[in-house]
């Protein structure tokens, strides 16, 4: 069932100018080695001082690659952004704490070098899906992405690991990846909410099990700490389609996310 808010966003998407969903051939990327792994930078020709979306892919912390970005680069470049997609070391080669450190190193590289590709280092929004959503939330909230202008979080249950265990959600990939309870607090984005100032945050969730409950609880915790939060009900999406459809014509999440991006760094 699609709720009234999602239907409204679909209507808004239908009214967006054609340029917002411009169809283009996939843009080419320039690849760089940031140390632990590589990243791709997509930028329009002649770009200067454009806002940047810094993307971390999902894959249960065990697989995935930076090239799995779908329509995101073409859509964001058509709407006045640069786009960066990173690789990071996977389990079992690297644990989650190491992966978070990789994300922070990639961000530091981008912040130091993006001006040379037409991006504005003072207007970077961190975005991630699934495991990448967890890593962006963790690094962004604990202060590992200095100067980040906003966070765009797309569908994870791993905001508060102790609460996830209490609610019976520490199963399957979560139980395998977060097997050490002594690390749960340090690897939970929720642990870093209170007593800190955080950038505007967009939280989207799909209809996958538990996503709505965990996302709503996390959004309320951020709001209680004074953070500006946009919560997107993506119950019309599966866990995969909420990422795959981003940038496609008429997509409701894309319309809502673009509004957030424009208001945050536009």
């Amino acid at each position: 069932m699609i709720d009234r808010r999602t239907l409204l966003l679909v209507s808004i998407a239908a009214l967006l100018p054609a340029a917002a969903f411009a169809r283009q051939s996939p843009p080419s990327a320039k690849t760089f080695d940031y140390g632990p792994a590589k990243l791709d930078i997509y930028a329009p020709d002649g770009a200067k001082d454009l806002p940047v979306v810094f993307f971390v892919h999902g894959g249960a912390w065990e697989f995935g690659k930076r090239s799995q970005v779908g329509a995101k680069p073409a859509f964001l470049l058509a709407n006045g952004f640069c786009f960066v997609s990173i690789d990071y070391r996977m389990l079992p080669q690297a644990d989650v704490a190491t992966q978070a450190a990789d994300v922070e190193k990639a961000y530091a590289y981008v912040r130091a070098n993006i001006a040379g590709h037409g991006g504005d280092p003072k207007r970077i929004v961190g975005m991630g899906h699934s495991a990448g959503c967890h890593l962006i939330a963790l690094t962004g909230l604990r202060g590992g992405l200095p100067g980040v202008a906003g966070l765009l979080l797309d569908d994870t249950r791993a905001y508060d690991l102790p609460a996830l265990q209490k609610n019976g959600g520490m199963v399957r990939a979560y139980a395998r990846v977060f097997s050490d309870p002594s690390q749960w607090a340090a690897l939970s984005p929720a642990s870093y909410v209170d007593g800190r100032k955080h950038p505007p945050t967009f939280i989207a969730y799909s209809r996958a099990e538990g996503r709505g409950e965990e996302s709503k609880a996390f959004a309320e915790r951020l709001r209680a700490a004074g953070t500006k939060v946009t919560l997107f009900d993506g119950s019309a999406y599966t866990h995969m389609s909420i990422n795959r459809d981003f940038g496609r014509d008429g997509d409701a999440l894309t319309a809502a996310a673009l509004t957030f991006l424009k208001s945050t760094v536009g």
Side-chain angles (χ1 to χ4, degrees):
M1 180 180 294
I2 302 176
D3 68 2
R4 292 178 64 187
R5 185 175 185 276
T6 300
L7 285 171
L8 176 61
L9 288 168
V10 171
S11 300
I12 292 172
L15 295 174
L16 285 174
F21 292 98
R23 294 185 178 183
Q24 301 179 352
S25 58
S28 59
K30 294 181 179 179
T31 301
F32 300 90
D33 189 331
Y34 70 87
K38 295 183 179 180
L39 56 82
D40 290 339
I41 296 177
Y42 300 80
D45 292 338
K48 184 177 180 181
D49 296 329
L50 296 182
V52 180
V53 173
F54 173 88
F55 180 71
V56 181
H57 68 76
W61 300 271
E62 296 181 80
F63 55 89
K65 51 189 177 180
R66 67 184 188 277
S67 60
Q68 295 172 328
V69 291
K72 294 178 185 71
F75 172 79
L76 289 166
L77 266 63
N79 283 278
F81 291 81
C82 295
F83 180 76
V84 177
S85 181
I86 75 164
D87 276 336
Y88 52 98
R89 289 172 288 180
M90 299 281 98
L91 290 168
Q93 177 192 5
D95 62 13
V96 177
T98 301
Q99 293 175 346
D102 285 356
V103 171
E104 292 174 354
K105 289 175 184 176
Y107 175 85
Y109 179 93
V110 170
R111 195 178 186 212
N113 293 279
I114 197 64
H117 304 277
D120 184 348
K122 296 180 180 179
R123 293 193 294 161
I124 302 176
V125 173
M127 176 183 182
H129 171 250
S130 193
C133 173
H134 164 259
L135 291 169
I136 278 289
L138 175 62
T139 56
L141 295 180
R142 76 182 186 184
L145 309 180
V148 72
L151 301 175
L152 206 166
L153 308 179
D154 188 12
D155 211 35
T156 188
R157 295 189 73 178
Y159 292 120
D160 187 337
L161 298 174
L164 187 64
Q165 166 67 17
K166 183 178 179 180
N167 296 332
M170 192 63 78
V171 295
R172 296 184 291 277
Y174 292 96
R176 183 172 64 254
V177 173
F178 301 105
S179 59
D180 182 357
S182 70
Q183 295 295 311
W184 289 350
L187 296 177
S188 294
S191 296
Y192 305 95
V193 170
D194 299 333
R196 295 171 182 245
K197 182 179 180 180
H198 301 295
T201 301
F202 182 103
I203 301 172
Y205 61 88
S206 72
R207 64 173 175 265
E209 184 180 0
R211 296 308 196 279
E213 293 86 344
E214 275 84 5
S215 296
K216 291 173 185 176
F218 186 59
E220 286 308 307
R221 188 163 181 173
L222 281 168
R223 284 173 176 154
T227 302
K228 182 179 179 181
V229 176
T230 301
L231 183 65
F232 179 84
D233 180 351
S235 53
Y237 297 86
T238 67
H239 178 60
M240 300 305 292
S241 69
I242 201 169
N243 175 58
R244 182 191 64 227
D245 292 353
F246 190 97
R248 293 185 176 182
D249 290 7
D251 177 59
L253 171 60
T254 304
L258 183 61
T259 298
F260 169 79
L261 289 168
K262 293 289 189 181
S263 67
T264 302
V265 293

Coordinates of all heavy atoms in Angstrom, one line a residue, residues 39 77 104 129-130 140 169 228:
L39 N 38.2 5.2 -5.9 CA 36.9 5.9 -6.0 C 36.8 6.5 -7.4 O 37.7 6.7 -8.1 CB 36.8 7.0 -4.9 CG 37.9 8.1 -4.8 CD1 37.6 9.2 -5.8 CD2 37.9 8.7 -3.4
L77 N 24.3 14.7 -12.2 CA 25.1 15.7 -13.0 C 24.1 16.6 -13.8 O 24.3 17.8 -14.0 CB 26.0 14.9 -14.0 CG 27.4 14.7 -13.5 CD1 27.5 13.9 -12.3 CD2 28.3 14.1 -14.6
E104 N 36.0 7.3 5.8 CA 36.6 8.6 6.3 C 37.8 9.0 5.5 O 38.0 10.2 5.2 CB 36.9 8.5 7.8 CG 35.6 8.4 8.6 CD 35.8 8.1 10.1 OE1 37.0 7.9 10.5 OE2 34.9 8.2 10.9
H129 N 23.5 3.4 0.8 CA 22.4 2.5 0.8 C 22.8 1.2 1.5 O 23.9 0.7 1.4 CB 22.0 2.1 -0.7 CG 21.0 1.0 -0.8 ND1 21.4 -0.3 -1.2 CD2 19.7 0.9 -0.4 CE1 20.3 -1.1 -1.2 NE2 19.3 -0.4 -0.7
S130 N 21.9 0.7 2.4 CA 22.1 -0.5 3.1 C 23.3 -0.5 4.0 O 23.4 0.4 4.8 CB 22.1 -1.7 2.0 OG 22.0 -2.9 2.7
G140 N 29.4 9.9 9.7 CA 28.9 11.3 9.7 C 28.5 11.7 11.1 O 28.8 12.9 11.5
G169 N 16.1 -8.4 16.0 CA 16.6 -8.2 14.6 C 18.0 -8.6 14.3 O 18.5 -8.4 13.2
K228 N 17.7 18.6 12.1 CA 16.7 18.7 11.1 C 16.6 17.4 10.3 O 17.6 17.0 9.6 CB 16.9 19.9 10.1 CG 15.9 20.1 9.1 CD 16.2 21.3 8.1 CE 15.1 21.5 7.1 NZ 15.4 22.6 6.2

